Amino acid sequence: MKAVNIITPSIDGQGLMMGKPGYTNDFSDKNSLIIKVLRSPHPYAKIVSINDSEALKLKGVECILSYKDFDRRPFTRAGQGYPEPSPHDKFVFDEYVRYVGDEVLCVAAIDEVTAEKALALIKVEYQILESVLDFESAMNHQSIIHPEPEIHEMFPIGFEPKKNIAASYQMHIGNVEKSLAQCDVVIKESFYTQAQAHAMMEPHAVNSRFDYQNRLVLYSSTQTPFHVRRIISQALNFPLSRIRVIKPRVGGGFGGKQAIHGEIICSAVTIKTGKPAKLVYTRKEVFESSYSRHPMRIDMTLGADLEGHLKAIDCYVLSDTGAYGEHALTVFMVTGSKVLPLYNKVDSVRFHGHVVYTNHTPAGAFRGYGAIQGNFALESAVDMLCEKLKMSPIAFRQINMIKETETSPIFAIMGEGTEGTAMNMETCKLEFCLNRGLELINWQKTYPRIQIDDHTVRSVGMAIAMQGSGIPYIDMGAATIKLNDDGFYNLLVGATEIGQGSDTILTQIAAEELMTTVDKVIVYSSDTDLTPFDVGAYASSTTFVSGNAVLKAAKTMKSKLVEEAANYFNCDIILVEFNGEVFTQIKTKDSITLKALSNRLYYNHDQKQLMVTESYVGHKSPPPFMAGFAEIDLDTETGEVKVNKYVSVVDCGVTINPKLAKGQVEGAIVQGMGMALYEDVKVSSQGKLISNDFMSYRIPSRNETPELITEFAISHEPSGPFGAKSVGEIGIDTPPAAITNAIFNACGVRIKTLPATPEKILMELRRKNHEN
Amino acid sequence: MLVNLFLNGEAKTLQVEPGDFLLDTLQKNNVVSVRRGCESTSCGVCTVLLEGKPVPSCSLLTVRLEGKSITTVEGIQKEAEKLAHYFGLEGADQCGFCNPSMALTVYAMKKELKDPTIETIKSYLVGNLCRCTGYQAQHIAILHYLEDQS
Ligand code: FES
Ligand code: FES
């Protein structure tokens, strides 16, 4: 292969390093009105009155918009395909505010100072309502968070707002109770996972203006430009055909920019005033008023026989979606659908649960999307079961885990909000990943622990994981390839580059199929006026779904080129050979270069523009798999855990760009480590966010990063472009379980509530010593 | 009020308000490569070189910079290009939002420290957060950049 699976620097890294304009805010109009949002100081309240007369008198204040200025049109900001599996429970502004940081109104002014001054002059009177801050008592709480009559689900998702339930679901295969009753060993444990903040470096940003055709043009830091266009149109009742959304370079997303954040407010200001406007979130707003990961309680029951055959899994999930139900159902379902099939030899499985509303900052999509939560519970529980069985956790996994050619009935039953898709694992190199990881971490030598000195213990722990590659029969990606004179191509894709390297790998795929080099394929992505549709960057879909679309388009372009060459040679197409640069008539040995042919098509004979568009919808979602291994040093005096090494052995099919794939895994491992050990969205008892900057919400710094050893299994997925599966999310899933398993192996303390802070470890250690 | 300073070696006279921080001043003067990631001087995305030393521009009052020399990535284009080359080979660049500030800090480190190890690189750059890469690939790329004497 010439362009795929070889080291290829990203096509845009150099320009960005050199400081070239690229991000949303770099493209804002110099005369933009500055928008500031007044946010609720209360977790739950009704707005009684708004007095903005003083603020409106201020010179430079252009407009103030609140719920009074909008029709009541419920929508969801989730940023999913249509109809969404998330309830339509949000208004541009509402009479109710449902969490500290919720939007009350917005001010648009000529500069930031004026906007801030105006905010300070606005008086809002609230009627404070009883807030629901404990998600375990939210269901059927006397205080109803969404009493408004207009809200609705788009299709059945178990939406019962009167009970504070945003979504619910249940499924079973076999009879779990009966299976469990027959098991020799059963464990039943509850696990808690916390809210985690995306903390991408670029805050949410958007700017808007009317162009010279009087169309509304937005630059937005989004993962889903086409969904953004649709949702703005719905929410503001503004014609879809008059909206253009351009996604420039995005400074990190991780799921946090799948949803709509400032886009609707910014559009509304431009529509009301006719003027350009911009809204850039402060870091505090990013923490307080965007999204975080759904916190969950996961009740996991496992049953096995004495030989260590896992027989039954019963999993109940209670998930906290916060004030709005974005991604409520689907994140929760992934907690089952992309976790439980790991152990496919069971007699019975049950998965059920509820997603509840609370007065917390809403939860939404975040890399891992439920799988990281489920993985922590299942892979911790498996080690606990092994402890009870007196069995090696490695041997147990080797017996029970899913293998190549096998399947799980869960795939057919559970999709994302809908039924799933049956599939066999055409590629699953988990066995290799596990065995290779054991070598790389030196498991034999360290397991379960080595005493380093009188207060330091070294240990290892591990977990296996799976994810998906797009949502079959739903996610569509499309690509257009255009031939230029001189024989180079434009590649137009809806796929959304957000830093994960999608522009680069899609270019590589096109170049490979067209037998050319990446510099001959000029990519342009994510502009709703110019590029074909794509659902956007989520659900690990880009490499697999968008990549397949690009491959199809390149194939079609190739056959068009050969047709044109046959025209030129005046022969049948089967007599034409093409090597990426030259067409040869194999009988006569006549030849013409691609350059000459394309110039001919532009200027001389048979003039035409060659341009093809192809779309791809997956008929399956081949899961990437991995085994993750942590080596830690635990200080038994301080409870401090230092991760020395993290080994990842990943099966994501063929890596289109090996270094970028490695970057996806390593970046995700470190985010997962943060979630395992210290990242924690903290809320006060009054519902106010405590962790609202990088001091109070610590993300991993350079000093905490362990040695990362990352390898890829040799694997070729037949349904993927050039054998690839996706790799964007899988890396984040294993650290919580692998690290807490290592903590147990080090000192016998089982952390079931994330993050595994020194305080928790020490407290458990003391309790354990006390009991002995 | 007016402040005279040197921006990338060029003498500039800038119109500023007393409370303006350098980050805002630069953005108002269309230097977009210096970007904001926080309000608490804790992300490093806004780094510039003040008299050759890396500092967060969001914490520098512009009025106090009279006569001082400020370098942004526009002032070290050749070095940034070279560093980008090694980042590219390692796949160490993802969203790139942290990268201009990284280039400036690495450049200052190269001038200041002799043969830094991975550990010294980590502590020198600890103020430059990156949420995408997991850092290791960056460190390998930086070592290769430092080895390149060309
Ligand atoms: S903007 Fe974050 S340190 Fe300056
Ligand atoms: S590459 Fe995205 S923050 Fe560093």
Side-chain angles (χ1 to χ4, degrees), chain A residues 398-626:
Chain A
Q398 276 160 341
I399 298 172
N400 291 291
M401 71 192 185
I402 192 165
K403 309 217 165 72
E404 201 153 86
T405 71
E406 295 178 357
T407 187
S408 158
I410 296 173
F411 293 127
I413 296 174
M414 295 178 75
E416 292 208 20
T418 51
E419 264 177 29
T421 308
M423 56 179 170
N424 288 328
M425 298 302 97
E426 288 188 84
T427 46
C428 172
K429 308 294 179 195
L430 257 183
E431 275 178 287
F432 171 82
C433 296
L434 187 66
N435 294 331
R436 179 68 183 142
L438 291 173
E439 277 168 37
L440 290 170
I441 201 81
N442 213 342
W443 184 272
Q444 294 298 5
K445 198 178 131 245
T446 321
Y447 179 78
R449 78 189 71 81
I450 306 172
Q451 196 74 36
I452 300 290
D453 56 41
D454 61 343
H455 59 98
T456 312
V457 198
R458 179 161 301 163
S459 72
V460 283
M462 63 84 58
I464 55 174
M466 58 176 286
Q467 199 80 33
S469 296
I471 310 169
Y473 297 103
I474 293 181
D475 283 356
M476 191 268 274
T480 298
I481 298 179
K482 179 178 126 205
L483 176 72
N484 293 288
D485 50 344
D486 230 26
F488 73 101
Y489 308 92
N490 289 108
L491 171 64
L492 306 173
V493 288
T496 309
E497 167 73 70
I498 57 168
Q500 83 284 45
S502 85
D503 281 352
T504 300
I505 66 121
L506 296 176
T507 303
Q508 287 178 265
I509 290 171
E512 180 73 37
E513 186 57 27
L514 292 164
M515 298 173 289
T516 185
T517 45
V518 291
D519 59 311
K520 293 278 192 304
V521 179
I522 311 304
V523 69
Y524 182 68
S525 59
S526 308
D527 177 331
T528 58
D529 268 9
L530 302 182
T531 68
F533 177 82
D534 190 290
V535 289
Y538 60 84
S540 291
S541 59
T542 303
T543 304
F544 186 76
V545 176
S546 315
N548 266 320
V550 170
L551 180 58
K552 268 174 87 177
K555 283 192 168 142
T556 309
M557 175 53 85
K558 211 160 76 178
S559 53
K560 291 248 183 227
L561 288 169
V562 169
E563 259 171 50
E564 290 304 329
N567 243 346
Y568 166 77
F569 295 132
N570 200 8
C571 70
D572 195 273
I573 50 165
I574 45 167
L575 298 176
V576 178
E577 232 175 47
F578 178 47
N579 68 2
E581 276 176 46
V582 181
F583 301 87
T584 312
Q585 202 309 8
I586 47 178
K587 279 222 177 118
T588 62
K589 300 292 169 206
D590 277 353
S591 68
I592 184 170
T593 60
L594 171 63
K595 182 172 166 158
L597 182 73
S598 49
N599 287 337
R600 184 174 187 267
L601 288 173
Y602 257 52
Y603 302 114
N604 308 124
H605 296 281
D606 302 329
Q607 287 93 326
K608 66 183 61 135
Q609 173 67 65
L610 284 195
M611 178 141 133
V612 303
T613 298
E614 294 288 355
S615 319
Y616 182 84
V617 184
H619 301 294
K620 58 189 290 199
S621 174
F625 293 94
M626 78 168 278

Side-chain angles (χ1 to χ4, degrees), chain A residues 694, chain B residues 23 35-47 56-59 127:
Chain A
F694 285 127
Chain B
L23 172 56
R35 300 188 174 93
R36 183 183 281 286
C38 73
E39 289 79 39
S40 52
T41 323
S42 49
C43 73
V45 166
C46 65
T47 302
S57 64
C58 67
S59 71

Side-chain angles (χ1 to χ4, degrees), chain A residues 256-276:
Chain A
K257 293 173 180 168
Q258 180 176 347
I260 294 264
H261 292 289
E263 288 92 339
I264 293 176
I265 293 177
C266 197
S267 303
V269 167
T270 291
I271 293 169
K272 293 266 171 190
T273 63
K275 296 187 178 175

Side-chain angles (χ1 to χ4, degrees), chain A residues 23 26 249 283 679 708, chain B residues 35 37 94-95 128 131 136:
Chain A
Y23 303 88
D26 303 348
R249 185 49 167 234
R283 184 52 63 181
E679 287 187 38
L708 301 167
Chain B
R35 300 188 174 93
Q94 289 194 29
C95 82
N128 292 80
R131 185 59 156 170
Q136 182 169 283

Side-chain angles (χ1 to χ4, degrees), chain A residues 7 9-10 13-14 16-23 26 30 196-203 249-252 254 282-284 498-499 659-660 663-664 666-667 670-671 679 693-695 699-703 705-708, chain B residues 27 30 32-33 35-43 45 73-74 77 80-81 83-85 87-91 93-100 102-103 121-123 125-126 128-139:
Chain A
I7 291 182
S10 66
Q14 190 163 50
L16 295 173
M17 175 82 84
M18 291 168 76
K20 299 282 180 280
Y23 303 88
D26 303 348
K30 295 283 156 290
Q196 182 185 23
H198 303 78
M200 67 297 274
M201 282 298 120
E202 180 204 26
R249 185 49 167 234
V250 172
F254 316 119
T282 62
R283 184 52 63 181
K284 183 172 177 233
I498 57 168
K659 290 284 183 179
L660 290 180
Q664 283 303 297
E666 293 187 349
V670 172
Q671 284 177 354
E679 287 187 38
D693 63 20
F694 285 127
M695 316 285 212
I699 62 168
S701 80
R702 278 162 217 285
N703 285 339
T705 310
E707 185 192 346
L708 301 167
Chain B
Q27 290 198 343
N30 302 330
V32 295
S33 68
R35 300 188 174 93
R36 183 183 281 286
C38 73
E39 289 79 39
S40 52
T41 323
S42 49
C43 73
V45 166
V73 79
E74 283 77 6
Q77 290 283 290
E81 190 176 342
L83 183 62
H85 170 73
F87 267 55
L89 292 180
E90 287 306 318
D93 42 1
Q94 289 194 29
C95 82
F97 204 70
C98 65
N99 283 358
M102 198 84 63
I121 292 174
K122 282 186 184 180
S123 34
L125 286 166
V126 76
N128 292 80
L129 291 180
C130 172
R131 185 59 156 170
C132 297
T133 60
Y135 301 112
Q136 182 169 283
Q138 288 182 345
H139 299 148

